[in-house]
Amino acid sequence: MWPANWQGMIAGDECPMCADMALPENPHSFWVAELPYSVVRLPRNQYMRGWTVVIFKRHACEMYELEPPELAGFWQDTAQVAQALNTIYRPVKINYGVFGNLCPHIHGHVLPQYDTDDPHKPINMHEQTVLWDPIEYERQIARLREALHVL
Amino acid sequence: MWPANWQGMIAGDECPMCADMALPENPHSFWVAELPYSVVRLPRNQYMRGWTVVIFKRHACEMYELEPPELAGFWQDTAQVAQALNTIYRPVKINYGVFGNLCPHIHGHVLPQYDTDDPHKPINMHEQTVLWDPIEYERQIARLREALHVL
């Protein structure tokens, strides 16, 4: 059930996120921006429009492993991404999740919720796969970078 | 679908969490401790053993509404709760979620995950209802307070 190389992933030696977070694109997502404590990426699967991921730069697994400035900085970055998504999409609410059951490297999911969404529906990234045309990813990345003031 | 009094809940005038977060018990949870920026509560529904909620003390809805010291402090409190749960339960992973679709007052769910849990299973607080005997809640609250060093 849990990944076979869990201990290696926890230790960081076998952490796939450490290996591919800086790539322009990887099987899961596209690079958007680097913030002080994190890398921002756009998942290919846009089943929730605007879903964005904020990956802590160094390897760590739980919130209490971070030094106070790191913890503060990671959430400042995440808040900045949420504000950017709010500017772009004007959702009803934004959800924030740090799970890591499949990859324990600290990364936050920022998920806008719209009035057409069922507010009772749990977050399930495997619910469906919605892929965009390449030009749509490029547009969204440009809009995010502009809203994040990293142009 | 979304709560009828959403605007009143967003503004804070009709926020049920502002109204009942300080009560020894309310329909959802029991009071555990007050930390610098939050109130810690134990949900009655312990369908995920150890599920604990960290409620930001003042009314706010999104991460980017907080001043930097508030954002840092809320997550420092949440990290402290996660560390306490790790000490008590030794889970495989801890999940952190700030959703707020039913009540937009900022509150974090801290959910330990065990090796007997399916790591792919999405977080769904309405999945099932597991209630404990009153003495079990008291024991858990005492253990949490001890691990949080608020005795």
Side-chain angles (χ1 to χ4, degrees), chain A residues 32 42 52 84-85 88 140-149:
Chain A
V32 175
L42 182 70
T52 303
L85 291 172
I88 297 170
Q140 172 64 4
I141 290 165
R143 284 204 290 177
L144 260 174
R145 289 177 58 81
E146 186 182 1
L148 288 168
H149 309 295

Side-chain angles (χ1 to χ4, degrees), chain A residues 33-60:
Chain A
E34 180 178 346
L35 295 180
Y37 288 87
S38 64
V39 168
V40 181
R41 299 189 65 97
L42 182 70
R44 291 173 188 270
N45 182 8
Q46 285 291 306
Y47 87 107
M48 287 182 78
R49 188 162 37 98
W51 175 21
T52 303
V53 176
V54 183
I55 305 174
F56 189 59
K57 277 185 195 172
R58 79 164 173 90
H59 185 76

Side-chain angles (χ1 to χ4, degrees), chain B residues 44-115:
Chain B
R44 292 172 188 271
N45 182 8
Q46 285 290 307
Y47 87 105
M48 287 184 76
R49 189 162 37 99
W51 175 20
T52 303
V53 175
V54 183
I55 305 173
F56 189 60
K57 277 186 197 173
R58 79 164 173 91
H59 186 76
C61 303
E62 299 291 350
M63 293 297 147
Y64 51 83
E65 295 171 20
L66 306 192
E67 295 299 323
E70 291 180 319
L71 185 64
F74 173 74
W75 285 101
Q76 204 64 55
D77 290 358
T78 305
Q80 191 183 341
V81 168
Q83 190 159 30
L85 291 172
N86 187 57
T87 302
I88 296 169
Y89 287 120
R90 295 291 164 196
V92 180
K93 185 72 192 68
I94 296 177
N95 290 179
Y96 314 79
V98 176
F99 308 129
N101 297 349
L102 303 180
C103 177
H105 185 121
I106 289 175
H107 59 287
H109 299 279
V110 188
L111 298 131
Q113 295 271 349
Y114 303 94
D115 56 8

Side-chain angles (χ1 to χ4, degrees), chain A residues 67-84:
Chain A
E67 295 298 325
E70 292 180 319
L71 185 63
F74 173 73
W75 286 102
Q76 204 64 56
D77 289 359
T78 304
Q80 192 184 339
V81 168
Q83 189 158 31

Side-chain angles (χ1 to χ4, degrees), chain A residues 117-137:
Chain A
D117 290 321
D118 176 359
H120 297 85
K121 198 181 67 171
I123 289 173
N124 177 5
M125 284 97 173
H126 304 288
E127 182 184 294
Q128 54 174 318
T129 301
V130 174
L131 301 177
W132 287 351
D133 286 334
I135 189 73
E136 287 302 319
Y137 293 117

Side-chain angles (χ1 to χ4, degrees), chain B:
Chain B
M1 307 250 282
W2 290 77
N5 57 341
W6 186 252
Q7 288 310 322
M9 296 208 316
I10 288 280
D13 309 333
E14 296 176 59
C15 174
M17 214 163 257
C18 283
D20 71 8
M21 79 166 88
L23 299 178
E25 52 183 284
N26 67 35
H28 307 292
S29 61
F30 300 94
W31 190 89
V32 175
E34 181 178 345
L35 295 180
Y37 288 87
S38 64
V39 167
V40 181
R41 300 189 65 96
L42 183 69
R44 292 172 188 271
N45 182 8
Q46 285 290 307
Y47 87 105
M48 287 184 76
R49 189 162 37 99
W51 175 20
T52 303
V53 175
V54 183
I55 305 173
F56 189 60
K57 277 186 197 173
R58 79 164 173 91
H59 186 76
C61 303
E62 299 291 350
M63 293 297 147
Y64 51 83
E65 295 171 20
L66 306 192
E67 295 299 323
E70 291 180 319
L71 185 64
F74 173 74
W75 285 101
Q76 204 64 55
D77 290 358
T78 305
Q80 191 183 341
V81 168
Q83 190 159 30
L85 291 172
N86 187 57
T87 302
I88 296 169
Y89 287 120
R90 295 291 164 196
V92 180
K93 185 72 192 68
I94 296 177
N95 290 179
Y96 314 79
V98 176
F99 308 129
N101 297 349
L102 303 180
C103 177
H105 185 121
I106 289 175
H107 59 287
H109 299 279
V110 188
L111 298 131
Q113 295 271 349
Y114 303 94
D115 56 8
T116 48
D117 290 321
D118 176 359
H120 297 85
K121 197 180 67 169
I123 289 172
N124 177 4
M125 284 96 175
H126 304 289
E127 181 184 295
Q128 53 174 318
T129 302
V130 175
L131 300 177
W132 286 351
D133 287 334
I135 188 75
E136 286 303 318
Y137 292 118
E138 283 174 34
R139 280 190 192 133
Q140 173 63 5
I141 289 165
R143 286 203 290 179
L144 259 173
R145 288 177 57 81
E146 186 182 0
L148 288 169
H149 310 295
V150 290
L151 280 181

